[in-house]
Amino acid sequence: MQSPSRLSADSRPLDYEHHHDNLLFSPSRSPPHATNMYSILPPPSPESPWTLSPHQTPSPSLLYHCIATLHRQEGAIFSIAAAGGLVFTGSESRRVRAWRQPDCTERGYLEASYGEVRAILAHGNTLFTSHKDDRVRVWNVLSVSETFQAKKIATLPKSWGLRLFFMNRSSNYNHKHKDRISCMAYNHAEGVLYTGSLDRTIKAWRVSDNLCVDSFTAHEDCVNSVVVKQDDGCVFSCSSDGSVKIWRRVYGQSSHTLTMTLKFQPSPINALALSISPSSCFLYSGSSDGFINFWEKEKTSGRFNHGGFLQGHRFSVLCLVAKEKLVFSGSEDTTIRVWRREEGSCFHECLAVLDAHRGPVKCLAVSLEIEKVMVMGFLLYSSGLDQAFKVWRIKILPEEKDREDLMVDAKNVSAESFELRNPVLSPSWVMEKKLQTGNHHPFR
């Protein structure tokens, strides 16, 4: 692990660019007497760097700005995680790079024996990374002032020498995945790490002693995403088999049982996100037909009922992330969409479309931008198969009651519309990628 104190613009190994002119603004529909922190902003004009958002909707104003773009020389970025003032990126190389928020000054990198870091998860000072050898490395990360320190504290599963000690007790559990680890989720209270794999299984690892406490076949096809509901420990998984499943730990045991299967359409599901507030819980799934389906949890029964879907992306939805009442979606069509849910209802609107990359948007991460204990907005990090890593500063004006709902209810959609949208035809560069990889999953 190396840790440069600070890299100057001419010493960075990557092509680092700042774009301060890519500033987009959707005009506000607030009444003339309304006042807010953005009222001092000048209106768009030919002389101003402010331009109209390419997505014109009757929505409240949304301000977004691409503040930095980094062009990688180590291949496509597969994973992003943000925690503790740092952003971590994993790529085709063996290095996991750390960047300072929000300006993305490089702080250093971690290096493991195996490359292709397909999944990254950060919580506090702990960083989990999955690698080409189908194992997970656990790191302790410390960032103080301009210094960056990281130490590998475990490998899951343990090395063969240590694992032989546990073979008699749990020969099944402590074997590694048989294929690439595609996703991870962490139960903070229980200290349990969940790993989903292309081998169709999910494993649960107890981080305190680095043991696998459960392993089960979750789907009929690749597991693409896993998320955990922190308040009750429910585990949600999605797969290329077109299903979303909800799992619970058996009371007093380490094993998990299936409690519900959500299957609304046959398209492969690539991403999941949970949006939780004191009064509601929504589950979102992004699929290869370009739709984002969502389910709302009933307060009485705890069941998840299908509420509809969000339509806008032209090709597969590859990644989702939810923060507060916002949902960010990245797609094979090279765009990022910002959605907002109306408080107390299932109504959604698309606030903006970010024409972000020149290739599929593979992963997203978001964090709150806080200055002097005041929330200033959101920092959105995106990466695509164009080998670009971008940072966006996003600010949203207060909601208005008068707006048009852009959510399409599944009950009002005819079967013909499904036939037109499913399956989605991919652009030519997707077909080229499939031919290069020799399989039908070019983005895994």
Side-chain angles (χ1 to χ4, degrees):
M1 189 280 296
Q2 297 183 3
S3 176
S5 59
R6 184 181 177 89
L7 297 179
S8 62
D10 55 354
S11 65
R12 290 188 179 93
L14 306 178
D15 181 10
Y16 186 89
E17 299 177 0
H18 279 282
H19 297 290
H20 295 286
D21 55 348
N22 184 18
L23 199 58
L24 304 179
F25 178 69
S26 299
S28 173
R29 296 176 63 246
S30 302
H33 57 80
T35 58
N36 53 62
M37 63 181 293
Y38 303 104
S39 59
I40 60 174
L41 295 174
S45 68
E47 295 80 19
S48 172
W50 300 78
T51 57
L52 294 177
S53 169
H55 184 66
Q56 296 299 315
T57 68
S59 67
S61 299
L62 179 139
L63 178 70
Y64 58 98
H65 180 199
C66 182
I67 60 176
T69 298
L70 289 79
H71 294 283
R72 304 266 314 184
Q73 304 300 323
E74 299 175 333
I77 298 175
F78 295 131
S79 50
I80 304 175
L86 293 175
V87 182
F88 302 93
T89 56
S91 67
E92 294 175 307
S93 75
R94 295 182 298 177
R95 295 178 178 177
V96 177
R97 295 191 177 270
W99 313 87
R100 184 178 63 187
Q101 299 188 53
D103 59 353
C104 280
T105 301
E106 186 176 3
R107 301 297 301 277
Y109 62 83
L110 317 171
E111 187 164 2
S113 303
Y114 294 85
E116 290 192 13
V117 183
R118 295 281 174 165
I120 292 181
L121 191 152
H123 176 67
N125 294 330
T126 304
L127 179 71
F128 303 93
T129 59
S130 70
H131 297 262
K132 190 177 181 179
D133 62 349
D134 308 328
R135 288 182 174 144
V136 174
R137 270 73 175 174
V138 186
W139 311 81
N140 181 261
V141 177
L142 293 177
S143 177
V144 181
S145 184
E146 292 296 321
T147 63
F148 170 77
Q149 299 177 351
K151 179 182 179 181
K152 188 178 74 171
I153 56 178
T155 299
L156 307 177
K158 299 185 178 190
S159 62
W160 278 102
L162 293 175
R163 198 194 317 169
L164 289 175
F165 178 78
F166 301 98
M167 288 289 283
N168 293 333
R169 195 186 85 176
S170 52
S171 59
N172 248 358
Y173 291 168
N174 287 285
H175 284 101
K176 66 177 184 177
H177 283 287
K178 297 180 181 178
D179 206 337
R180 186 184 307 146
I181 295 173
S182 56
C183 52
M184 294 186 289
Y186 187 56
N187 186 322
H188 305 161
E190 299 292 333
V192 175
L193 174 72
Y194 293 91
T195 56
S197 170
L198 303 188
D199 65 8
R200 309 178 183 183
T201 68
I202 294 176
K203 290 180 181 288
W205 307 85
R206 191 168 55 215
V207 177
S208 60
D209 55 9
N210 305 320
L211 286 181
C212 181
V213 294
D214 196 13
S215 178
F216 53 94
T217 300
H219 291 271
E220 298 176 0
D221 207 334
C222 308
V223 180
N224 294 328
S225 182
V226 177
V227 295
V228 174
K229 192 168 178 285
Q230 298 297 335
D231 59 350
D232 59 10
C234 278
V235 179
F236 302 81
S237 63
C238 72
S239 168
S240 296
D241 64 11
S243 69
V244 176
K245 294 186 177 182
I246 306 176
W247 310 84
R248 278 187 179 273
R249 291 181 67 180
V250 178
Y251 181 75
Q253 302 181 26
S254 298
S255 59
H256 293 72
T257 182
L258 177 65
T259 62
M260 192 173 182
T261 299
L262 311 175
K263 192 163 185 175
F264 187 73
Q265 86 292 313
S267 298
I269 300 177
N270 307 309
L272 292 176
L274 273 175
S275 177
I276 301 175
S277 69
S279 59
S280 64
C281 176
F282 283 81
L283 173 69
Y284 297 87
S285 69
S287 52
S288 294
D289 57 9
F291 287 96
I292 302 172
N293 284 273
F294 65 89
W295 290 264
E296 181 180 14
K297 182 181 180 181
E298 286 185 357
K299 296 180 181 179
T300 54
S301 67
R303 291 181 57 85
F304 280 81
N305 297 321
H306 188 260
F309 55 83
L310 310 178
Q311 180 179 358
H313 286 295
R314 293 179 294 122
F315 304 123
S316 299
V317 177
L318 301 179
C319 49
L320 288 173
V321 61
K323 196 75 170 180
E324 307 294 332
K325 292 182 291 184
L326 297 183
V327 178
F328 304 87
S329 57
S331 171
E332 181 187 333
D333 63 14
T334 75
T335 68
I336 299 170
R337 284 182 176 256
V338 184
W339 311 84
R340 177 163 62 182
R341 186 185 73 253
E342 184 180 83
E343 186 65 33
S345 74
C346 291
F347 296 147
H348 291 71
E349 60 181 342
C350 182
L351 298 183
V353 178
L354 284 63
D355 191 7
H357 292 268
R358 296 182 179 179
V361 180
K362 184 65 177 64
C363 48
L364 296 171
V366 66
S367 62
L368 293 176
E369 186 174 20
I370 301 176
E371 184 176 334
K372 295 181 180 179
V373 305
M374 280 190 62
V375 177
M376 305 301 294
F378 299 88
L379 290 171
L380 176 67
Y381 304 90
S382 66
S383 70
L385 298 187
D386 56 355
Q387 301 185 11
F389 173 46
K390 297 197 175 189
V391 187
W392 308 82
R393 178 172 281 121
I394 296 178
K395 298 180 185 293
I396 300 178
L397 297 184
E399 292 187 57
E400 294 179 40
K401 297 179 181 179
D402 182 23
R403 63 165 159 238
E404 178 181 338
D405 172 40
L406 298 181
M407 185 274 293
V408 181
D409 195 318
K411 297 179 181 178
N412 299 326
V413 178
S414 62
E416 288 77 8
S417 62
F418 269 102
E419 293 175 3
L420 292 175
R421 296 277 302 175
N422 183 21
V424 173
L425 298 178
S426 297
S428 58
W429 42 260
V430 177
M431 299 309 298
E432 293 176 4
K433 186 74 176 178
K434 291 179 179 179
L435 292 175
Q436 292 173 5
T437 57
N439 57 49
H440 299 290
H441 307 291
F443 307 123
R444 296 204 188 110

